[in-house]
């Protein structure tokens, strides 16, 4: 028998030792778990609440241990759930149960089907995540058992958020979990997907796997969750959902949650719910919206909306605001136009037509921001848990009370307070208020303070006259808006014939309204439509590709689906929509998103225009390795490469990120002052070569030079009043520039800076904030480059046009 050299022998010895220790640990864990599972099973059997009961009505079990029921539990500790989950919850500082958790968790833990409805921001996510994780734990689910829990949710951002929450509470478990939210390369995911125990998915992508992934097997599924159930059950997702359900076993636990719940018998029959518990915890409440939400509406003619919103933004520069509009194109235009007018607060846009990379970047930026305005379609209306949103401003009327509730629910979440303002046109007022009041929404009228409404029309006209791109955006925005009004089902609220198109066009900076051709075609049902005094002939149906709907009604239904899905979300309806209405699902990524975003951005920043910056990377709940689950089934034979033991720490920056561990920011309160300071002369000289410098130095604006890791850049960040304009600066410092700062580290150690002659240096910024800032910086550079490129192309095209000689 051949003998190994001494060094090798030592290695083999070490490996064997590691493996023995590893197996020992596993055995220990396994014994402990067996014991715990037995106790949990007994506790659940003995203490489950009576079917049909609502635990909210039970008195608190003040330390009384004589009762075996856990129905009156007030804290997670009182529930029969595993130590691993409890540790995960504690690490996230979840201690006491919210109302929906008190009502629904005891039933769901007992394995019952649940239909849960509770106000926005009331903690529904944990209410379904805990039962999923616990059920699989009690069943001793291993990776080899395949898919055990499936969470379906309508939007990608929501899926990502749920996945993050799952990672937090599941980090001490040995379960694998993946996020499937659409992307380009299904093949790369295929192997890993089959090894996942829990999937958080949007319906379209999941169905794709069910259809195309050979080993994908959902026949062992234990728990199905439909978050935002009413949205998933509605028309837009129906065929996708039906196809998914066909692949799932009938004998499973099903949990449905939403802030606006369905009880449609037809829906429930489709889902084969068995004796579900209906738990609508706020149905008896006087309001269907959070109590700490202050709600008002103002009647504003369509042509004044831009002025009012501009005025609002200018007078809330320190607030974090979401502005909801009906369509992607409006969001794009309003964001782009206002951004160029530089109101003094960072502006961002979020809609389904954006590239996935940008979409996620904006999502995280807005989460991090202290003051920012996010223009969004209803893609941001459901479920997203942005921290500390101060205002929800609805520039366009929501489709109905449900849509309203979800939109305003982005503020006043959990214990926080918030404000919401709805702008309605005189024509929409009565109809929508009737709907809101019927849905128990306490909303009062307010008048717009004439002092805040600045006429922004002339400034927009000036902008549009200089930019054909912006002009086109404005025209498309107007068309999209009129179209959305036309497609709205509630004609009591939305009357396309009353829209003052010309005045509205002027308020957007256009000289005249563009042709509204789509209206021409809907018309067997509408013979002639008068929009703001302009008569539009009705010709044929909407241009829906080669197979037009057979009637105007069909066109409207189809278009409404677009409104609900194509415009506001891009995942569902792929099989239903004609090709030109589909928004391609493309790039993907997953958590920890910031880390991956930064890494991918480093590698791929020149490819931002490409669709697939990120692909879905299925990630283990507790493994550090992206895609580690591909080796999951071999974990026992390769202990060194697969993390099987619980991970006891959150994601920390790796050694390679050390360079990124601080953000160094130098700001000069004024360009000219800065020149007198020798310390910053070099930085400013470098800045002087930039386009930004040439553009702004003359205007006496202030500049900032930022060095973040390898990325450096120059940005104008203050308005003339000295207010911070740039999120980078906000990320870098909570302290307003100009305030005195003595250079000592603050209590939380987050800052170590000096302020001297208008110069401010920030160091030791927490890693996450830094990464976000660095990412913004990189992305902006790309955007700038793209813009310059576009301008050049435009200029070239113009020159060419001039050179054409007409014979
Ligand atoms: N028991 C708890 N203790 C403390 N915070 C909690 C608890 N449960 C949930 N939260 C926090 O409350 C916020 C809202 O929770 P969540 O997103 O689950 O609400 P939701 O009911 O799903 O809202 P929406 O209907 O808008 O989707 C989150 O920030 C979450 O971390």
């Amino acid at each position: 028998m051949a003998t190994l050299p001494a060094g090798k022998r030592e290695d083999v010895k070490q490996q064997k030792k590691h493996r023995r220790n590893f197996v020992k640990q596993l055995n220990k864990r396994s014994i402990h778990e067996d014991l715990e599972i037995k106790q949990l099973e007994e506790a659940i059997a003995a203490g489950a609440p009576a079917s049909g009961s609502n635990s909210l009505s039970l008195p608190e079990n003040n330390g009384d241990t004589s009762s075996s029921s856990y129905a009156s539990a007030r804290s997670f500790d009182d529930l029969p759930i595993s130590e691993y989950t409890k540790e995960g919850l504690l690490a996230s500082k979840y201690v006491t149960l919210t109302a929906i958790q008190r009502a629904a968790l005891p039933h769901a833990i007992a394995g019952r089907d649940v239909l849960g409805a509770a106000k926005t921001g009331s903690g529904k996510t944990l209410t379904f995540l805990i039962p999923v994780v616990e059920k699989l734990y009690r069943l001793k689910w291993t990776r080899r058992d395949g898919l055990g829990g499936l969470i379906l949710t309508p939007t990608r951002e929501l899926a990502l958020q749920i996945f993050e929450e799952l990672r937090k509470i599941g980090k001490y478990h040995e379960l694998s979990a993946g996020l499937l939210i659409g992307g380009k390369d299904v093949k790369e995911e295929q192997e890993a997907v089959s090894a996942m125990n829990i999937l958080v998915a949007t319906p379209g992508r999941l169905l794709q796997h069910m259809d195309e992934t050979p080993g994908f097997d959902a026949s062992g599924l234990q728990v199905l969750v439909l978050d935002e159930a009413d949205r998933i059950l509605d028309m837009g997702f129906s065929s996708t959902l039906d196809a998914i359900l066909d692949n799932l076993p009938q004998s499973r636990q099903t949990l449905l949650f939403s802030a606006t719940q369905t009880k449609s018998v037809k829906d429930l029959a489709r889902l084969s719910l068995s004796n579900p518990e209906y738990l609508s915890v706020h149905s008896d409440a006087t309001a269907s919206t959070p109590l700490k939400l202050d709600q008002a509406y103002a009647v504003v003619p369509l042509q004044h909306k831009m002025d009012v919103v501009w005025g609002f933004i200018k007078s809330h520069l320190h607030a974090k605001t979401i502005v909801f509009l009906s369509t992607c194109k409006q969001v794009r235009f309003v964001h782009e136009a206002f951004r160029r007018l530089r109101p003094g607060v960072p502006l961002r846009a979020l809609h389904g037509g954006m590239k996935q990379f940008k979409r996620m970047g904006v999502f995280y930026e807005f989460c991090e921001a202290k003051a920012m305005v996010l223009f969004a379609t209803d893609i941001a209306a459901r479920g997203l848990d942005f921290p500390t949103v101060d205002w929800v401003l609805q520039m366009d009327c929501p489709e109905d009370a449900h849509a309203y509730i979800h939109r305003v629910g982005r503020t006043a979440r959990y214990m926080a307070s918030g404000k919401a303002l709805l702008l309605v046109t005189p024509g929409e007022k009565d109809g929508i208020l009737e709907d809101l009041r019927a849905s128990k929404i306490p909303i009062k009228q307010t008048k717009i303070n004439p002092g805040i409404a600045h006429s922004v029309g002339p400034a927009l006209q000036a902008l549009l006259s200089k930019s054909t791109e912006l002009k086109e955006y404005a025209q498309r925005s107007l068309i999209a808006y009129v179209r959305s009004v036309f497609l709205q089902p509630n004609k009591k609220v939305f009357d396309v014939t009353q829209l003052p198109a010309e005045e509205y066009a002027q308020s957007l900076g256009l000289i005249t309204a563009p042709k509204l051709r789509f209206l021409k075609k809907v018309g067997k049902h509408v013979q002639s439509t008068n929009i703001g005094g302009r008569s539009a002939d009705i010709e044929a149906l909407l241009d829906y590709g080669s197979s037009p709907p057979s009637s105007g009604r069909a066109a409207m239904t189809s278009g409404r689906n677009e409104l609900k899905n194509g415009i506001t979300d891009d995942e569902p309806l792929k099989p239903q929509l004609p090709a030109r209405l589909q928004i391609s699902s493309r790039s993907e990524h997953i958590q920890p998103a910031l880390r991956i975003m930064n890494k991918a951005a480093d590698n791929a920043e020149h490819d931002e225009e490409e669709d697939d910056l990120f692909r879905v990377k299925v990630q283990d709940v507790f493994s550090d390795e992206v895609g580690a689950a591909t080796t999951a089934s071999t974990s026992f034979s390769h202990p060194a490469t697969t993390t099987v033991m619980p991970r006891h720490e959150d994601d920390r920056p790796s050694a390679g990120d050390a360079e990124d561990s601080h953000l160094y920011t130098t700001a000069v309160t004024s360009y000219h002052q800065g020149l007198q300071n020798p310390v910053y002369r070099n930085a400013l000289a470098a800045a002087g070569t930039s386009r930004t410098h040439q553009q702004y130095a003359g205007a006496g604006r202030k500049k900032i030079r930022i060095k973040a890791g390898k990325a450096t850049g120059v940005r104008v960040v203050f308005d003339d009043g000295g207010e911070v304009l740039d999120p980078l600066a906000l990320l870098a410092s909570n302290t307003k520039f100009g305030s005195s700062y003595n250079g000592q580290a603050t209590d939380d150690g987050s800052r170590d800076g000096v302020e001297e002659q208008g110069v401010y240096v920030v160091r030791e910024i927490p890693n996450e904030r830094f990464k976000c800032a660095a990412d913004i910086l990189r992305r902006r550079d790309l955007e700038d480059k793209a813009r310059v490129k576009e301008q050049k192309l435009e200029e070239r095209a113009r020159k060419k046009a001039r050179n054409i000689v007409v014979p």
Side-chain angles (χ1 to χ4, degrees):
M1 208 161 68
T3 49
L4 290 168
K8 278 257 183 216
R9 267 207 309 272
E10 195 50 39
D11 281 356
V12 171
K13 239 181 172 176
Q14 283 298 328
Q15 275 178 16
K16 279 187 180 165
K17 195 173 154 196
H18 279 311
R19 188 172 297 187
R20 266 200 311 277
N21 283 344
F22 178 75
V23 171
K24 246 192 223 166
Q25 278 175 319
L26 271 187
N27 286 342
K28 254 196 210 164
R29 182 175 163 120
S30 169
I31 293 165
H32 172 80
E33 284 175 3
D34 285 348
L35 203 69
E36 188 184 35
I37 290 169
K38 192 162 167 273
Q39 285 166 357
L40 290 174
E41 295 286 9
E42 283 169 7
I44 291 168
S51 195
S53 68
N54 186 339
S55 312
L56 280 182
S57 56
L58 297 174
E60 192 171 355
N61 197 354
N62 280 328
D64 172 14
T65 48
S66 57
S67 160
S68 62
S69 177
Y70 61 88
S72 54
R74 299 290 162 114
S75 77
F76 290 108
D77 251 351
D78 302 334
L79 289 170
I81 55 176
S82 62
E83 285 305 318
Y84 297 143
T85 303
K86 282 182 183 169
E87 275 178 48
L89 288 163
L90 202 60
S92 304
K93 302 201 171 54
Y94 296 132
V95 178
T96 25
L97 303 175
T98 65
I100 182 68
Q101 289 159 4
R102 275 167 57 203
L105 268 175
H107 290 289
I109 289 172
R112 295 174 190 150
D113 286 0
V114 168
L115 261 118
K119 290 179 186 181
T120 51
S122 56
K124 293 185 284 293
T125 313
L126 286 182
T127 317
F128 58 74
L129 286 182
I130 294 173
V132 172
V133 171
E134 284 299 298
K135 183 149 191 171
L136 298 187
Y137 173 70
R138 292 200 309 275
L139 287 170
K140 297 194 192 172
W141 208 260
T142 69
R143 296 166 182 215
R144 275 165 290 189
D145 293 316
L147 188 64
L150 173 61
I151 296 152
L152 286 180
T153 183
T155 67
R156 295 171 178 191
E157 284 78 6
L158 193 45
L160 182 71
Q161 192 177 284
I162 293 168
F163 187 78
E164 299 270 8
E165 200 76 349
L166 177 61
R167 287 185 77 249
K168 284 198 231 158
I169 69 153
K171 68 178 174 182
Y172 299 113
H173 282 274
E174 287 183 16
L175 294 164
S176 56
L179 176 70
L180 295 180
I181 50 172
K184 224 173 171 181
D185 194 354
V186 181
K187 288 209 170 64
E188 281 199 12
E189 295 166 27
Q190 288 186 330
E191 249 183 276
V193 151
S194 309
M196 291 297 129
N197 298 145
I198 302 173
L199 285 176
V200 182
T202 48
R205 186 55 159 196
L206 179 73
L207 187 59
Q208 201 177 352
H209 274 289
M210 285 180 156
D211 288 344
E212 295 171 22
T213 303
F216 190 86
D217 176 19
S219 61
L221 187 81
Q222 299 296 316
V223 194
L224 169 69
V225 176
L226 273 79
D227 185 31
E228 302 300 344
D230 54 340
R231 176 74 187 91
I232 297 182
L233 287 166
D234 82 11
M235 282 299 291
F237 282 93
S238 67
S239 61
T240 312
L241 182 66
D242 289 341
I244 291 172
L245 291 172
D246 280 347
N247 287 296
L248 304 182
Q250 294 260 321
S251 59
R252 56 162 201 262
Q253 184 181 10
T254 306
L255 307 172
L256 278 81
F257 285 90
S258 182
T260 46
Q261 188 58 280
T262 178
K263 266 198 188 183
S264 153
V265 176
K266 230 168 85 194
D267 286 342
L268 305 185
R270 270 167 70 204
L271 291 166
S272 59
L273 290 178
S274 69
N275 300 324
E277 303 288 334
Y278 296 93
L279 294 157
S280 182
V281 299
H282 299 116
S283 54
D284 298 333
T286 47
S288 52
T289 44
L291 290 177
K292 289 192 178 173
L293 177 63
D294 187 6
Q295 303 171 76
Y297 71 91
V299 182
V300 179
L302 183 63
Q303 62 273 31
H304 294 152
K305 276 189 187 176
M306 289 293 276
D307 295 343
V308 169
V309 173
W310 176 253
F312 180 94
I313 293 172
K314 289 289 286 179
S315 54
H316 293 84
L317 294 180
H318 300 290
K320 187 162 165 178
T321 306
I322 305 181
V323 180
F324 280 106
L325 293 106
S326 301
T327 67
C328 297
K329 292 186 175 106
Q330 287 171 273
V331 168
R332 185 178 63 176
F333 167 66
V334 179
H335 167 247
E336 192 56 34
F338 282 1
R339 197 178 69 84
R340 294 188 193 193
L341 293 176
R342 299 190 174 268
V345 61
L347 308 181
R348 293 290 179 273
L350 189 67
H351 58 77
M354 284 162 65
K355 289 188 169 138
Q356 187 66 17
F357 173 58
K358 272 200 174 170
R359 213 164 123 173
M360 289 302 180
V362 168
F363 174 73
Y364 279 104
E365 258 186 87
F366 193 65
C367 283
E368 296 276 322
K370 288 228 151 38
M372 185 176 272
V373 178
L374 179 70
F375 295 96
T377 58
D378 279 336
I379 202 167
R382 278 178 181 258
L384 294 189
D385 190 37
F386 297 118
T388 60
V389 173
D390 300 300
W391 277 94
V392 169
L393 171 59
Q394 301 189 53
M395 186 167 174
D396 290 332
C397 188
E399 179 179 342
D400 54 22
H402 279 194
Y404 175 92
I405 289 171
H406 285 287
R407 284 178 173 188
V408 296
R410 294 321 97 207
T411 182
R413 293 179 72 71
Y414 191 49
M415 305 286 223
S417 53
K419 290 181 185 154
L421 175 62
L422 166 68
L423 304 187
V424 288
T425 62
E428 291 161 348
K429 182 187 149 205
D430 293 338
I432 193 71
L433 284 183
E434 192 184 311
D435 196 6
L436 298 186
R437 293 207 168 112
S439 302
K440 298 199 287 188
I441 294 165
I443 187 166
K444 55 184 190 301
Q445 185 166 10
T446 186
K447 287 224 159 64
I448 299 294
N449 176 354
I452 74 151
H454 302 258
S455 176
V456 74
L460 289 173
Q461 272 174 21
L463 271 184
L464 265 57
S465 69
K466 281 189 224 137
S467 165
T468 43
E469 179 202 35
L470 202 57
K471 190 171 152 203
E472 197 179 306
Y473 282 3
Q475 288 170 337
R476 285 172 190 262
S477 159
L478 186 144
I479 295 170
Y481 175 71
V482 175
R483 188 158 179 246
S484 75
V485 172
F486 172 74
L487 292 168
Q488 290 289 2
N490 188 350
K491 297 299 171 205
K492 269 209 251 162
V493 180
F494 300 97
D495 183 355
V496 78
T497 65
Q498 297 303 313
L499 299 183
E502 286 301 330
E503 291 95 318
Y504 180 44
Q506 281 154 23
S507 76
L508 302 183
L510 292 164
I511 292 167
T512 181
K515 278 192 178 168
L516 299 162
R517 277 193 311 178
F518 71 90
L519 273 181
K520 294 178 192 171
K521 305 192 171 183
V522 180
K524 289 177 187 163
H525 295 272
V526 191
Q527 283 308 309
S528 151
T529 303
N530 188 304
I531 300 176
R534 279 156 46 100
S535 178
D537 289 335
I538 308 300
E539 286 167 14
L541 296 173
L542 278 161
D543 175 20
Y544 271 85
S546 56
S547 56
S550 59
S551 69
R553 181 172 294 278
M556 287 173 70
T557 311
S558 207
R560 270 207 303 278
N561 281 340
E562 177 198 7
L563 241 193
K564 275 185 162 184
N565 303 292
I567 289 173
T568 60
D569 184 81
D570 55 357
E571 197 55 42
L573 274 192
K574 275 183 204 151
Q576 296 177 352
L577 284 175
R580 83 174 184 81
L581 292 182
Q582 289 177 21
I583 295 170
S584 63
S585 56
R586 41 198 174 203
S587 47
E588 283 298 321
H589 45 207
I590 151 173
Q591 175 21 81
L594 284 172
R595 191 171 74 193
I596 296 174
M597 279 173 75
N598 276 325
K599 288 209 169 123
D602 283 345
N603 300 331
E605 65 181 21
H606 301 297
D607 295 329
E608 201 196 11
E609 296 309 312
E610 295 296 315
D611 283 349
D612 59 344
L613 249 190
F614 290 109
R615 298 203 189 95
V616 169
K617 303 234 183 352
V618 182
Q619 184 160 1
D620 203 307
V621 165
F622 57 85
S623 167
D624 270 328
E625 304 248 316
V626 170
T630 48
T631 57
S633 59
T634 57
S635 57
F636 285 89
S637 50
H638 299 287
T641 55
T642 309
T643 319
V644 184
M645 293 309 289
R647 199 181 61 187
H648 291 280
E649 55 183 0
D650 284 320
D651 290 301
R652 300 231 172 98
S654 63
D657 292 334
E659 192 192 4
D660 291 352
S661 66
H662 71 274
L663 172 65
Y664 181 83
T665 305
T666 306
V668 180
T669 54
S670 98
Y671 180 68
H672 303 288
Q673 264 178 28
L675 279 181
Q676 288 152 23
N677 185 332
V679 178
Y680 292 97
R681 205 170 286 147
N682 286 348
L684 285 163
T689 59
S690 82
R691 213 163 56 84
T692 324
H693 163 241
Q694 286 156 11
Q695 209 170 335
Y696 292 100
R701 298 268 177 97
K702 289 121 198 176
K703 302 172 61 58
I704 188 166
R705 177 166 177 77
I706 290 164
K707 184 172 187 311
K710 285 178 194 153
T712 58
V714 179
R715 291 288 177 273
V716 172
V717 288
F718 301 116
D719 65 12
D720 290 328
E723 293 294 331
V724 176
L725 285 177
D726 190 301
L728 278 172
L730 288 172
L731 284 161
S733 165
N734 292 331
T735 321
K736 221 168 107 179
F737 275 78
S739 63
S740 75
Y741 189 66
N742 65 10
Q744 298 304 307
T746 52
D747 287 347
D748 64 4
S750 64
R751 213 173 288 125
D752 169 19
V754 266
E755 192 192 33
E756 190 188 8
Q757 295 176 351
V759 174
Y760 190 77
V761 180
V762 182
R763 289 198 198 94
E764 300 288 329
I765 296 301
N767 196 54
E768 298 256 306
R769 295 172 78 207
F770 161 74
K771 284 186 170 181
C772 199
D775 184 52
I776 299 165
L777 191 63
R778 289 185 190 107
R779 206 148 28 80
R780 281 218 194 134
D781 286 341
L782 288 168
E783 281 172 1
D784 284 351
K785 273 184 211 158
R787 209 166 292 129
V788 170
K789 200 171 153 192
E790 238 169 62
Q791 277 170 2
K792 275 187 187 159
L793 285 175
E794 256 180 46
E795 185 57 31
R796 213 177 293 158
R798 236 176 280 138
K799 273 188 190 158
K800 243 189 186 171
R802 261 187 254 134
N803 291 339
I804 294 172
V805 182
V806 183

